[in-house]
Amino acid sequence: MSAIRESVRTPTSSLKRGHYVRLSVADTGIGMDEPTLARAVEPFFSTKGVGKGTGLGLSMAHGLAAQLGGALSIQSSLGVGTNIELWLPISATLPETDEAVMTSGAISHARGVVLLVDDEDVVRDSTADMLEEFGYEVRQADSAEAALMLVAKGLSPDLLVTDHLMPGMTGVDLARELLQDRPKMPVLIVSGYAEAEGIAPDLPRLTKPFRSSELEAALSRLSTFSTGKQAEKA
C-alpha cells in the first residue's frame, strides 16, 4: 500500500479541485471482469454465498470517501490484478476542540450489556466499537447458536443487536428464542438484504450499511417502540 499527496486542478465527476491524500492498494490476483467491476461498489453485491461475505466492504469505503468529499476508484483486468485508489481530501482547517469532545445526548449515558451477533467479523467489530462509544458493555457472538451458548452459560443481556441472515439460525429466530424468557428485552434486527424486507414487523430493524449516528438513533427509538408494544398488549 502507498500513500501520496495529490492535487486535483481540473475537477472531475467524482473529485473537486483541491488537495488530497491518495491511498493505493494493488494485487496480482485474477482480477475482475467488466460486469463484476461495474457492480463492485454496489451494496450487498458479492460473488460469494450467504455467510461468506456481505458485499459491504467496498460499498462502505466508497460511501465514506464520497461523504468526506473524496472518491474511490477501481482498475481491474482479468489475469492481471486489481488496483484500488482511495482519495481523501486534505482539510484546510483544524477541528473544533469543543465539538470533538461533545457526545450526543440521545444515549450518551447508556448502560447495560449488549449481546451483539453477526457472522461477519469486520461488521461486528465496527458495530461493537460504536456501541462501546455509546457506553455499552458489548459481548460478541459470530452466530445465533454461539449467542445462545453465552446465554446458557449465564450471560444476561440488556439488549440484543443481531444480524438477520446468518448460517444456521437467523437473527429473528434468535430474538424469538431469547424473548421467551426476556419479553421486555429490547431487540434490534440488522439486515440489508432486499428479500428480508417486511420480515418480523414487530421487531425494530436497522438497514445495512449504517453510520454511528443511525445506529444511535435506532437504539434511542427502542424504548419508545417497546413502550408502545406493551401498551398494545395491555
Side-chain angles (χ1 to χ4, degrees):
M1 182 177 75
S2 64
I4 301 175
R5 176 168 174 159
E6 296 276 5
S7 295
V8 174
R9 303 190 182 281
T10 303
T12 66
S13 59
S14 57
L15 290 173
K16 297 179 179 179
R17 188 173 184 274
H19 303 294
Y20 298 83
V21 171
R22 176 171 59 85
L23 303 176
S24 300
V25 179
D27 66 31
T28 55
I30 62 174
M32 291 180 273
D33 57 23
E34 291 187 6
T36 300
L37 180 60
R39 301 187 62 190
V41 298
E42 181 180 315
F44 307 109
F45 172 73
S46 175
T47 56
K48 303 175 182 178
V50 174
K52 297 182 180 179
T54 63
L56 286 173
L58 286 175
S59 174
M60 293 177 69
H62 176 267
L64 177 62
Q67 189 177 49
L68 294 174
L72 181 143
S73 63
I74 305 175
Q75 295 84 39
S76 185
S77 299
L78 282 176
V80 177
T82 300
N83 181 68
I84 297 178
E85 294 182 344
L86 183 65
W87 294 71
L88 299 175
I90 297 175
S91 176
T93 60
L94 294 174
E96 293 290 338
T97 303
D98 291 340
E99 291 184 3
V101 299
M102 284 179 62
T103 57
S104 173
I107 55 174
S108 59
H109 300 291
R111 293 292 184 271
V113 178
V114 180
L115 177 53
L116 173 62
V117 189
D118 199 304
D119 61 309
E120 276 292 316
D121 294 343
V122 173
V123 176
R124 190 177 66 251
D125 290 343
S126 175
T127 305
D129 289 342
M130 296 179 191
L131 290 168
E132 288 173 350
E133 288 180 359
F134 299 155
Y136 290 105
E137 177 184 344
V138 182
R139 296 295 301 275
Q140 300 185 39
D142 60 7
S143 69
E145 291 80 3
L148 290 175
M149 288 182 62
L150 288 176
V151 174
K153 292 179 180 179
L155 176 65
S156 182
D158 300 296
L159 167 67
L160 173 66
V161 177
T162 178
D163 185 26
H164 176 55
L165 287 182
M166 300 180 287
M169 181 182 289
T170 68
V172 169
D173 290 338
L174 170 63
R176 299 287 188 226
E177 183 76 16
L178 295 180
L179 286 172
Q180 290 183 16
D181 296 324
R182 300 168 177 78
K184 295 184 179 180
M185 181 182 67
V187 172
L188 181 62
I189 302 295
V190 179
S191 184
Y193 290 92
E195 61 266 28
E197 289 292 341
I199 195 170
D202 59 320
L203 294 176
R205 179 179 168 194
L206 177 63
T207 301
K208 292 180 182 179
F210 55 83
R211 291 172 291 185
S212 177
S213 60
E214 293 169 329
L215 175 61
E216 184 179 27
L219 293 175
S220 68
R221 290 193 297 266
L222 286 183
S223 58
T224 302
F225 186 93
S226 299
T227 301
K229 295 303 292 184
Q230 291 172 16
E232 291 176 7
K233 295 179 181 179

